[in-house]
């Protein structure tokens, strides 16, 4: 049942997001495009570049997919509907996301070509800044719940969503989530205009399908994380619990995908600079703020 | 479609796959999207989706005639496409050494739609074929041979890497520099040493490539180039680095660690031949082609960057990748001169047509009325606005700013297609609102400010928006009586960076549309009734005439020697060669993305550069 619910979320939700992604890159609404694109890719050759490091090249797309699936595995859709209930679920998310950086670096290094290599290292350099901004806001939401169990974090928001209680943490986490999914304007590792596809530039055919699917799963997973940590997860009136989770997740994911269309890509050093100089102080301030709120008010 | 399909029986599940394949047309455009847009083609409307690398494309679309040099580079692009693939030629004439086009049509929207329909049919019916053959072309083969014949290089201790030498760059960088054939496909085939073409039966990998691979690794080790195995074992590398410093070479240490050969992984030995970065760190430089078909830069621009990390350490931009003997082609019958000159630059044909007519006017010769129904000024100014918007669209693509790319493309097509003054007036307010929104875009100004700074005093002979963004009040239109009567004053900014160049072009789009409106009002007031057409005169005696116009990229001038009704000699000066010489200045030592934006901000038209 749980597995089925997650499969449904990934297939139907993921499909909807793929349509938004298509719009975000081309400006056209074409509901059939993701399906046709994936099947069309299956019809094409899966080329291997000439001097590739085959192990890295072949392993990167599945690893990226695994990272997305693993990070999603601890995030519940409804009370009790969660693939793995971990006592340290909130930290598990961060641990799973590390493999995104590993996968992209492998995808960049594997084909042994200049564009992907630059792209892979770009992401590695930036990921360190992003990862801090994922884990520090999570600390603050865990403080409020006095628990690292994701379900507890959701129920702790029954009186007030974390997005309203700790808007700083929410903003920082949302931006870091977008950056980890390398969505525009954080798309330096794929950068069609600068690096002709970057880390995915040398992938064709079925491997490219996996690469694109993996990114969608990652977007869904992080949107679900935003939902459970900040938007009250399954909490909501009238509709059944899973419906709220799905609706909120898709709304967050859709927003994450859409915003990049209206912004130029960030210069490679901006995310780093902002992450370290602005993001981390803000995340610390957020932790302090939540601590003060918890001391003086009983929320 | 002999080199297009995959090898296999077209049956079963494959038929289902081909149905999807034919419904989803991913296209890579040669020489580039800018040329296709300037020709008025709307690929998205025709149902194609433009992709950034040939690796992701099913269709290769050639728009217009490619000069011989670019056709050689196009071969590599074709070889990089996964099969099944379809080659479409729109008004391209001879495309050899590319294979015969699967579909050929005229370079207009109708031809495009027709050929995409044909391409769909090809993909449905011939995506798999038992007669499929690997694609072979001379442009791919000889370089591979040459590579094999070259003796392996064994640098002595005194070996100083010469990064100017292509050969060194290739051998010394071992694995990193594997030839454009493996890069995003934006290269010229100059290092297509291994066959980029996979063997249809061999699972996408083929033997010559493998053996090269082995050879390259060997080279890399002897050269002290970075090796993958080394980076995987980073702990050992660090150990060696510490030791290496003390033991002068770290050979003993290298030998002691894990039974590796003597000196293996010594950081000092590995890096002693490498060039130093500006911070003193030894870094291996990676040579990467960013042209002539790099989708975010002007099509035909031959640009190679040596990257030191992600900093541009060396810039080579060969002039005349698109050269095809322009001046010689201008010689001939006077009546055909406007048509011949209009073919010089696919990005600004009306402007060059006007230049020819202006020169012939000066010679007192007959010339045909300029292309547009609106009269020459409207034609030239609309083209300027459209050209700037086309540039803006490519800048949007380079910056990953999707909305800008599609909207600017849309408005440039609308302007090119406008038929009368009322339409232009209608567009003027819409385009004005669009430009206003661009100016207000969050982060855009911050992204561009300070990039590619070019102080006006150091610009040399450069003209056009680049010069005007550097504070120089240079514009050929200032000398034109018609413009003087309209009270024309060029847009000048003094910041001299990429942002100023964007601002100048945005303002010039508005200004051009304003000029069209003002001119139309003046004409309808009856001021310029007599200017509609040129009256043919009798044969002129031989004469030497000159004319100049302000093209979207700067001052273009033409000197003609006319004898009777024949042009016997022509000298054409265009703005782009001067702008191309600035590439190194704006790109060197910049971060890669900044370098690309700075190069793009020059708005070079390689078609105007005749080597």
């Amino acid at each position: 049942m749980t597995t089925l619910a997650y499969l449904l979320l990934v297939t139907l939700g993921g499909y909807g997001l793929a349509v938004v992604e298509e719009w975000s890159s081309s400006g056209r609404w074409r509901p059939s495009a993701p399906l046709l694109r994936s099947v069309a890719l299956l019809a094409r050759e899966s080329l291997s570049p000439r001097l590739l490091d085959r192990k890295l090249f072949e392993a990167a797309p599945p690893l990226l997919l695994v990272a997305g699936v693993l990070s999603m595995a601890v995030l519940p859709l409804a009370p009790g509907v969660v693939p793995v209930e971990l006592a340290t679920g909130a930290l598990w998310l961060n641990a799973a996301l590390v493999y995104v950086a590993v996968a992209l670096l492998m995808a960049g290094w594997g084909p042994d070509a200049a564009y992907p290599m630059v792209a892979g290292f770009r992401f590695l350099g930036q990921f360190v800044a992003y990862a801090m901004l994922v884990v520090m806001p999570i600390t603050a939401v865990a403080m409020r719940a006095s628990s690292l169990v994701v379900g507890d974090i959701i129920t702790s928001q029954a009186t007030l969503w974390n997005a309203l209680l700790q808007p700083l943490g929410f903003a920082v986490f949302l931006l870091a989530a977008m950056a980890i999914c390398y969505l525009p304007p954080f798309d330096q590792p794929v950068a069609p205009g600068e690096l002709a596809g970057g880390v995915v530039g040398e992938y064709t055919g079925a491997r490219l399908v996996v690469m694109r699917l993996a990114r969608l799963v990652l977007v869904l997973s992080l949107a679900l994380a935003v939902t459970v940590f900040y938007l009250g997860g399954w909490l909501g009136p009238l509709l059944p619990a899973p419906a709220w989770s799905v609706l909120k997740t898709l709304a967050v994911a859709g927003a994450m995908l859409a915003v990049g269309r209206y912004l130029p890509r960030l210069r490679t050093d901006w995310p780093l600079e902002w992450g370290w100089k602005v993001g981390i102080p803000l995340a610390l301030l957020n932790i302090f703020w939540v601590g003060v709120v918890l001391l003086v008010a009983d929320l | 479609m002999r080199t297009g399909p995959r090898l296999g029986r077209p049956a079963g599940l494959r038929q289902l796959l081909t149905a999807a394949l034919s419904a989803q047309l991913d296209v890579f455009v040669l020489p580039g999207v800018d040329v296709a847009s300037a020709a008025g083609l709307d690929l998205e409307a025709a149902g194609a989706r433009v992709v950034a690398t040939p690796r992701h494309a099913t269709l290769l679309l050639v728009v217009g005639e490619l000069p011989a040099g670019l056709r050689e580079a196009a071969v590599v692009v074709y070889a990089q496409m996964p099969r099944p693939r379809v080659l479409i030629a729109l008004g391209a004439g001879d495309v050899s050494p590319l294979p015969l086009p699967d579909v050929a049509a005229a370079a207009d929207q109708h031809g495009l739609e027709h050929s995409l329909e044909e391409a769909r049919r090809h993909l449905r019916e011939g995506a798999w074929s038992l007669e499929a053959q690997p694609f072979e072309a001379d442009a791919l083969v000889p370089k591979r041979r040459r590579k094999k014949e070259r003796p392996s290089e064994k640098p002595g201790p005194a070996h100083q890497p010469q990064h100017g030498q292509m050969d060194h760059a290739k051998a010394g960088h071992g694995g990193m520099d594997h030839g454009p054939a493996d890069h995003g496909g934006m290269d010229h085939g100059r290092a297509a040493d291994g066959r980029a073409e996979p063997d249809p039966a061999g699972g996408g990998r083929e033997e010559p490539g493998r053996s090269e691979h082995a050879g390259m690794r060997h080279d890399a080790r002897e050269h002290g180039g970075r090796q993958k195995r080394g980076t995987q074992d980073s702990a050992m590398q660090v150990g060696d680095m510490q030791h290496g410093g003390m033991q002068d070479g770290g050979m003993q240490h290298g030998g002691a660690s894990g039974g590796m050969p003597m000196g293996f992984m010594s950081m000092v030995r590995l890096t002693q031949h490498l060039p130093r970065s500006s911070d003193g760190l030894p870094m291996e430089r990676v040579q990467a082609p960013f042209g002539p078909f790099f989708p975010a830069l002007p099509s035909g621009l031959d640009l190679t960057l040596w990257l030191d990390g992600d900093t541009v350490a060396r810039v080579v931009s060969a002039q005349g990748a698109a050269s095809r003997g322009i001046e010689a082609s201008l010689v001939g019958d006077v009546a055909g001169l406007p048509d011949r000159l209009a073919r010089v630059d696919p990005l600004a044909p009306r402007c060059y047509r006007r230049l020819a007519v202006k020169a012939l006017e000066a010679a007192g010769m007959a010339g045909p009325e300029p292309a547009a129904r609106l009269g020459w000024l409207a034609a030239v100014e609309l083209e300027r606005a459209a050209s700037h918007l086309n540039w803006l669209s490519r800048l949007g693509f380079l910056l990953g700013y999707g909305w800008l790319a599609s909207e600017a493309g849309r408005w440039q097509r609308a302007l090119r297609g406008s038929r009368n003054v009322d339409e232009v007036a209608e567009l003027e307010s819409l385009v004005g609102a669009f430009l206003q929104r661009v100016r207000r875009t969050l982060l855009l100004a911050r992204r561009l400010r300070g990039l590619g700074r070019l102080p006006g005093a150091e610009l040399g002979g450069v003209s056009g928006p680049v010069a005007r963004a550097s504070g120089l009040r240079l514009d050929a239109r200032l000398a034109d009586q018609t413009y003087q009567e309209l009270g024309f004053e060029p847009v000048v900014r003094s910041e001299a960076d990429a942002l100023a160049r964007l601002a100048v072009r945005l303002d010039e789009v508005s200004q051009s549309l304003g000029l069209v409106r003002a001119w139309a009002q003046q004409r309808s007031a009856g001021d310029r009734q007599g200017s509609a057409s040129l009256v043919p005169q009798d044969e002129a005696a031989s004469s030497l005439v000159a004319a100049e116009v302000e093209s979207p990229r700067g001052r273009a001038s033409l000197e003609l020697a006319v004898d009777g009704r024949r042009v016997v000699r022509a000298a054409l000066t265009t703005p782009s060669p001067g702008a191309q010489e600035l590439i190194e200045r704006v790109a060197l030592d910049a971060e890669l993305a900044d370098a690309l934006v700075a190069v793009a901000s020059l708005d070079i038209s390689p078609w105007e550069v005749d080597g």
Side-chain angles (χ1 to χ4, degrees), chain A residues 17 25 40 42 47 60 67 95 101 117 134 137 164 173 193-194 240 242 248 289:
Chain A
L17 290 188
S25 65
L42 291 178
L47 293 178
M117 190 198 63
V134 168
L164 301 173
F173 187 82
E194 290 165 17
K248 290 174 187 174
W289 160 251

Side-chain angles (χ1 to χ4, degrees), chain A residues 45 112 115 202 261 265 267, chain B residues 83 175 178 182 289 406 594:
Chain A
E45 271 176 316
D112 198 15
Y115 301 158
E202 291 291 330
R261 182 165 172 77
R265 182 179 305 118
R267 233 189 89 124
Chain B
R83 279 170 283 203
H178 36 281
D182 292 328
S406 14
D594 286 355

Side-chain angles (χ1 to χ4, degrees), chain B residues 37-256:
Chain B
S37 301
L41 302 182
D42 187 350
L43 293 156
E44 299 274 342
R49 191 174 185 285
V50 180
V51 293
T53 154
R55 288 280 198 225
H56 297 173
T58 325
L59 310 183
L60 186 63
L61 183 67
V62 183
V63 180
E65 289 179 24
L66 290 182
L70 292 186
R71 290 205 300 267
E72 288 236 330
V75 165
V76 183
V77 172
Y78 182 76
Q80 284 179 322
M81 296 171 65
R83 279 170 283 203
R85 56 194 169 192
V86 177
L87 177 61
I88 301 177
L90 295 184
D94 175 26
V95 293
S96 62
L98 280 172
L100 271 182
D102 301 303
V103 186
D108 53 30
Q109 190 67 14
H110 178 73
L112 174 69
E113 280 162 14
H114 164 77
S115 52
L116 289 185
E117 209 39 61
E118 280 292 294
R120 283 198 176 91
R121 191 179 59 76
H122 275 292
L123 288 170
R124 268 196 309 272
E125 294 169 5
W128 270 271
S129 161
L130 292 171
E131 281 121 49
Q133 291 171 6
F135 172 58
E136 293 282 1
D138 288 344
L140 296 170
V141 175
K143 290 175 183 157
R144 186 171 82 228
R145 299 235 170 92
R146 188 184 65 196
K147 176 130 193 147
K148 279 187 175 165
E149 284 161 10
R150 194 167 44 76
S152 87
E153 297 173 351
K154 293 191 180 172
H159 177 75
Q160 288 298 317
Q162 296 275 316
H163 271 264
Q165 293 171 9
M166 302 276 293
D167 279 353
H168 170 84
K170 271 180 207 118
H173 290 178
M176 283 331 295
D177 189 309
H178 36 281
D182 292 328
H183 288 184
M186 315 312 159
D187 49 271
H188 334 243
R190 64 157 82 98
D193 26 60
R195 285 193 306 179
E197 180 75 358
D199 185 21
R205 182 64 145 324
E206 37 99 53
E207 286 319 302
R210 290 299 293 157
S211 56
E212 285 281 312
H213 185 155
M216 294 287 276
R217 272 195 181 243
H218 187 59
D219 265 2
R221 180 183 298 191
E222 288 184 342
H223 243 254
R226 176 166 46 184
Q227 292 180 52
K228 288 182 174 178
R229 283 168 64 191
T231 355
Q232 278 167 0
D233 196 347
S234 57
M236 197 168 84
Q237 235 176 6
V238 172
D240 270 0
M241 182 154 55
Q242 290 162 346
H243 252 257
M246 292 182 287
Q247 296 191 353
D248 189 30
M251 282 183 64
Q252 293 90 336
H253 183 90

Side-chain angles (χ1 to χ4, degrees), chain A residues 69-140:
Chain A
V69 170
L70 284 183
S71 62
M72 196 185 264
V74 293
L75 303 171
L77 280 181
V81 185
V82 57
V84 187
E85 182 122 32
L86 272 187
T88 53
L91 284 182
W92 168 268
L93 176 82
N94 200 48
L97 290 178
V98 170
Y99 289 94
V100 176
V102 177
L104 289 197
L105 186 64
M106 283 162 63
W109 187 258
D112 198 15
Y115 301 158
M117 190 198 63
V118 172
F121 277 104
R122 274 181 172 190
F123 190 73
L124 186 67
Q126 286 160 352
F127 182 81
V128 186
Y130 306 155
M132 288 302 285
L133 299 184
V134 168
V135 76
M136 290 174 74
I138 290 181
T139 315

Side-chain angles (χ1 to χ4, degrees), chain A residues 178-251:
Chain A
M178 284 181 65
I180 282 186
C181 303
Y182 52 98
L183 288 175
F186 298 95
D187 62 339
Q188 295 92 351
V190 283
E194 290 165 17
L195 294 169
V199 288
V200 297
E202 291 291 330
Y203 284 96
T204 57
R207 295 190 190 102
L208 186 56
V209 176
V210 177
M211 211 66 185
R212 289 191 170 148
L213 176 69
R215 163 135 102 199
L216 276 178
V217 171
L218 200 60
V219 173
L220 264 182
S221 168
L222 279 157
L224 184 56
V226 171
T227 306
V228 301
F229 290 145
Y230 290 96
L231 302 177
W234 64 68
L235 302 173
L238 299 176
L239 293 177
W244 276 116
S245 289
V246 170
L247 280 181
K248 290 174 187 174
T249 303
L250 293 185

Side-chain angles (χ1 to χ4, degrees), chain B residues 281-310:
Chain B
L281 204 67
M283 284 272 266
E284 191 174 324
R285 289 182 181 170
V286 179
Q287 178 196 357
F290 282 86
F293 299 129
F294 192 72
L297 291 179
S299 56
L301 183 68
D302 186 346
L303 178 66
T304 305
L305 303 179
W306 273 258
L307 299 175
D308 178 15
D310 62 357

